[in-house]
Amino acid sequence: MDESKKMTSLIMIFGATGDLAKRKLFPSLYRLFDKGRLSDQFAVVGVARRPLSNEEFQNSVKDSVVSSLGKDEKIDEFASHFYYHSHDVTNSSSYQTLKSLANDLDEHYGLQGNRMFYLAMAPEFFGTIALHLKSDGLTEVKGYKRLVIEKPFGHDLPSAKKLNEQIRTAFSEEEIYRIDHYLGKEMVRNIEVIRFANAIFEPLWNNRYIANIQITSSETLGVEERGRYYENSGALRDMVQNHMLQMVALLAMEPPISLKTEDVRSEKVRVFRSIRNIQGEEVNNYFVRGQYGEGVVENEKLPAYRDEPMVDKESNTETFVAAKIMIDNFRWAGVPFYIRTGKRMATKTTKIVVQFKDIPMNLYYQRELNPNLLVVHIQPEEGITLHLNAKKAGVHLDAYEEKLSFANTGVNAMNTPEGYEKLLYDCMRGDATNFTHWDEVAYSWNFVDKISAAWTQSKADYPNYESGSMGPKAADELLKKDGFSWWHVDELDVIDLCK
Ligand code: NAD
């Protein structure tokens, strides 16, 4: 491997005994190590409250790698780069010990003063940690210092602003890497390539040829044991403010003048600025909220959201959102971007369906023509399907729907470690393109806050969809009044030609 592509850094993970570190971060770092993308000059300091020796920590790192990847080549060598520091992040005194450990490792491994601080902890600690990193001198380094911050970035615009001000006292905007793990997904990254590297799409990518765009991100699982967190969040804050709007921005943005971070981000920001703001009673014309009731899925009777652990029996929290998003600019005027996301739905999938307008006249009147669709399969399958009309061999001159498919093989899990692997590598390389800029966060909260404000004015009639369904009826009506309907995402599977 080209030596310049090998990364040298001290990676400090706050929350190193947590779920995210174990399931995503350690396996992703191992993959980078295994592929030769980490040089021998790297060290990881795990920070968490629980007392652990370095050896115990290294064993937990090895366990998490082996259980998630089923691989253990050079695992001892990999784990030997991991160190543990037991530390309550609210306790000011122990940052000094952390600083000496970081300086020692810097010298021992020749880390060139490069530091990545990864906050894999509850968001209420983000501000405190950032302030301490600066005041206790951990950010005084010869190399780069970068802060990686997990979602949620605030709870609304005022709290996001406050958090941003806190972290900006220690890090500049260029040094802050706000994770949206959807931006690490292979097919989300592919949206730009499909659009900007194909002569057949970009000329059609506008309101003259596109009827509507539908983005579905559905889960079959309910809230599981995350009831306490989810009660304060709901689908709007948990999924729409970040992942769904990020996909809208990538689909709607103008071609950037280059793929440089600032050029891509500024085009995305222009999309956020063009999204029609909805408020007050108008919200009902554009947004549908839902909460799952009980239902039977695969012969198992499942409880309603309100009967889940740590959930209020009268909860007004939405577990489903569908929306019509309008982008008021020249390219998109009049084209609805429909989004829907929810828990306990019939199928687990993330898909984008671009529906092209009908051709002016159907010569094949014996059959109703299907509109052309471009389907981007994001997860669990990854690929693209183009729905065309063509003649079947030997049959009359009639038009039948045919699909051209391309499938990425092998990746078959929600939120796979590969996404985190790419994002960690991007951060070490200093490429912030696939992280969210503050302006994107601020615009999206501003949009979403108006919806939450309208929803808190009234109590919804919940539950309004059965577990195992595709959401409330009102979500279908949202499209019906525009003359459209949701494509059945479970019938749009990508055809894997490699299998
Ligand atoms: P978790 O509860 O499993 O882990 C929290 C970690 O923080 C533990 O290591 C704990 O020891 C540590 N911690 C808590 N209080 C501390 C204190 N005062 N001082 C020092 N350490 C302390 O949480 P998680 O699921 O790993 O999530 C971490 C962050 O990542 C959250 O912001 C979450 O929203 C985000 N996130 C998680 C996932 C996921 O798959 N788990 C996915 C996306 C985003």
Side-chain angles (χ1 to χ4, degrees):
M1 166 148 229
D2 175 356
E3 286 302 309
S4 67
K5 292 191 174 151
K6 291 189 170 190
M7 299 300 133
T8 296
S9 185
L10 175 69
I11 303 160
M12 205 174 269
I13 300 178
F14 290 84
T17 56
D19 178 68
L20 182 76
K22 286 187 182 154
R23 284 194 310 117
K24 309 286 181 198
L25 305 184
F26 301 151
S28 299
L29 285 169
Y30 175 79
R31 278 176 182 265
L32 291 174
F33 174 78
D34 194 36
K35 290 177 182 165
R37 290 189 165 169
L38 283 175
S39 70
D40 292 337
Q41 294 158 275
F42 84 95
V44 180
V45 177
V47 178
R49 234 175 348 194
R50 192 181 312 165
L52 284 181
S53 65
N54 281 342
E55 197 187 350
E56 286 169 317
F57 180 53
Q58 290 174 358
N59 285 336
S60 87
V61 170
K62 289 190 223 172
D63 287 348
S64 76
V65 171
V66 173
S67 65
S68 77
L69 302 177
K71 269 185 97 166
D72 63 0
E73 275 158 57
K74 296 202 282 180
I75 189 92
D76 289 327
E77 187 188 334
F78 171 70
S80 71
H81 290 255
F82 283 68
Y83 297 80
Y84 187 76
H85 178 70
S86 166
H87 164 117
D88 185 325
V89 296
T90 56
N91 174 358
S92 306
S93 61
S94 65
Y95 283 90
Q96 282 303 325
T97 332
L98 189 57
K99 181 181 170 184
S100 340
L101 173 61
N103 290 345
D104 291 349
L105 292 174
D106 199 336
E107 199 164 311
H108 178 73
Y109 286 99
L111 303 176
Q112 300 165 18
N114 291 334
R115 280 185 197 169
M116 182 207 282
F117 303 96
Y118 197 121
L119 308 191
M121 290 187 53
E124 71 243 40
F125 297 114
F126 293 169
T128 313
I129 300 173
L131 293 172
H132 271 296
L133 292 177
K134 178 166 168 87
S135 62
D136 289 292
L138 279 108
T139 52
E140 283 161 26
V141 285
K142 283 199 309 290
Y144 65 67
K145 60 180 201 310
R146 294 182 186 140
L147 182 74
V148 186
I149 195 157
E150 268 294 342
K151 81 164 194 185
F153 197 90
H155 180 73
D156 51 17
L157 184 56
S159 60
K161 265 190 182 151
K162 187 171 165 216
L163 170 58
N164 204 46
E165 278 158 18
Q166 288 175 323
I167 61 177
R168 284 294 304 273
T169 58
F171 296 87
S172 68
E173 178 59 35
E174 291 68 44
E175 291 169 334
I176 301 170
Y177 289 67
R178 297 178 195 82
I179 292 251
D180 183 319
H181 67 260
Y182 270 56
L183 299 182
K185 291 185 187 298
E186 195 58 49
M187 291 309 294
V188 172
R189 291 191 174 197
N190 215 335
I191 294 172
E192 278 175 71
V193 186
I194 297 165
R195 286 191 55 195
F196 304 134
N198 289 299
I200 58 167
F201 291 129
E202 196 45 32
L204 306 184
W205 211 259
N206 55 50
N207 55 8
R208 288 180 64 196
Y209 298 102
I210 290 181
N212 71 78
I213 296 187
Q214 304 181 10
I215 309 174
T216 299
S217 188
S218 57
E219 282 182 58
T220 47
L221 290 178
V223 72
E224 308 292 287
E225 66 287 348
R226 289 174 73 224
R228 193 194 310 250
Y229 160 77
Y230 204 78
E231 274 287 90
N232 291 314
S233 160
L236 185 67
R237 293 188 173 97
D238 194 43
M239 289 295 294
V240 176
Q241 180 269 333
N242 38 47
H243 314 313
M244 303 301 279
L245 289 181
Q246 282 293 326
M247 288 190 278
V248 169
L250 289 169
L251 287 161
M253 73 184 195
E254 292 299 315
I257 55 169
S258 85
L259 293 178
K260 288 199 188 111
T261 303
E262 50 290 6
D263 294 330
V264 174
R265 281 174 160 182
S266 64
E267 293 305 339
K268 282 168 71 191
V269 168
R270 280 161 51 135
V271 175
F272 285 112
R273 288 174 56 200
S274 322
I275 290 181
R276 186 181 302 169
N277 273 298
I278 316 291
Q279 55 194 334
E281 285 181 7
E282 256 187 333
V283 167
N284 292 333
N285 298 330
Y286 290 85
F287 272 78
V288 172
R289 54 179 161 165
Q291 186 190 79
Y292 61 82
E294 52 186 31
V296 178
V297 177
E298 289 175 357
N299 297 326
E300 195 188 344
K301 187 159 185 291
L302 296 168
Y305 176 71
R306 288 177 176 179
D307 295 325
E308 300 276 21
M310 289 178 288
V311 169
D312 186 341
K313 292 277 172 233
E314 310 244 311
S315 174
N316 207 31
T317 302
E318 77 288 348
T319 60
F320 173 97
V321 175
K324 166 169 144 178
I325 292 177
M326 300 304 291
I327 298 168
D328 291 330
N329 64 17
F330 251 60
R331 185 185 282 259
W332 294 115
V335 181
F337 283 65
Y338 300 112
I339 59 170
R340 66 177 162 170
T341 180
K343 292 194 177 292
R344 236 358 132 51
M345 291 175 68
T347 184
K348 167 179 154 177
T349 190
T350 302
K351 278 189 177 50
I352 296 167
V353 183
V354 180
Q355 178 176 339
F356 291 87
K357 286 190 171 167
D358 292 339
I359 50 164
M361 172 185 172
N362 180 6
L363 294 172
Y364 307 93
Y365 51 87
Q366 291 183 1
R367 304 189 71 82
E368 200 176 314
L369 285 184
N370 289 299
N372 293 131
L373 303 180
L374 173 69
V375 184
V376 184
H377 307 263
I378 291 173
Q379 62 186 16
E381 315 110 340
E382 298 185 344
I384 306 166
T385 315
L386 186 59
H387 293 227
L388 303 173
N389 291 302
K391 189 186 109 42
K392 271 209 192 324
V395 191
H396 310 291
L397 201 61
D398 260 356
Y400 291 83
E401 187 182 57
E402 297 288 356
K403 296 174 194 166
L404 303 184
S405 258
F406 139 77
N408 271 355
T409 45
V411 184
N412 196 24
M414 282 291 265
N415 198 1
T416 51
E418 286 76 3
Y420 276 92
E421 178 188 332
K422 286 189 225 121
L423 293 169
L424 281 164
Y425 189 58
D426 282 354
C427 178
M428 283 186 258
R429 289 190 304 139
D431 180 355
T433 318
N434 290 301
F435 295 81
T436 44
H437 188 273
W438 165 245
D439 292 347
E440 298 170 55
V441 176
Y443 277 113
S444 53
W445 274 127
N446 182 47
F447 174 71
V448 156
D449 281 355
K450 296 192 175 78
I451 315 302
S452 327
W455 282 351
T456 45
Q457 296 297 311
S458 62
K459 211 161 161 46
D461 190 12
Y462 289 152
N464 60 352
Y465 71 98
E466 246 179 63
S467 282
S469 71
M470 280 311 276
K473 292 252 173 324
D476 298 334
E477 279 145 26
L478 182 73
L479 275 69
K480 208 167 161 191
K481 56 186 189 207
D482 296 337
F484 298 123
S485 52
W486 292 105
W487 289 95
H488 292 283
V489 280
D490 47 345
E491 292 168 15
L492 293 176
D493 285 349
V494 67
I495 304 159
D496 186 349
L497 301 173
C498 305
K499 280 186 185 160

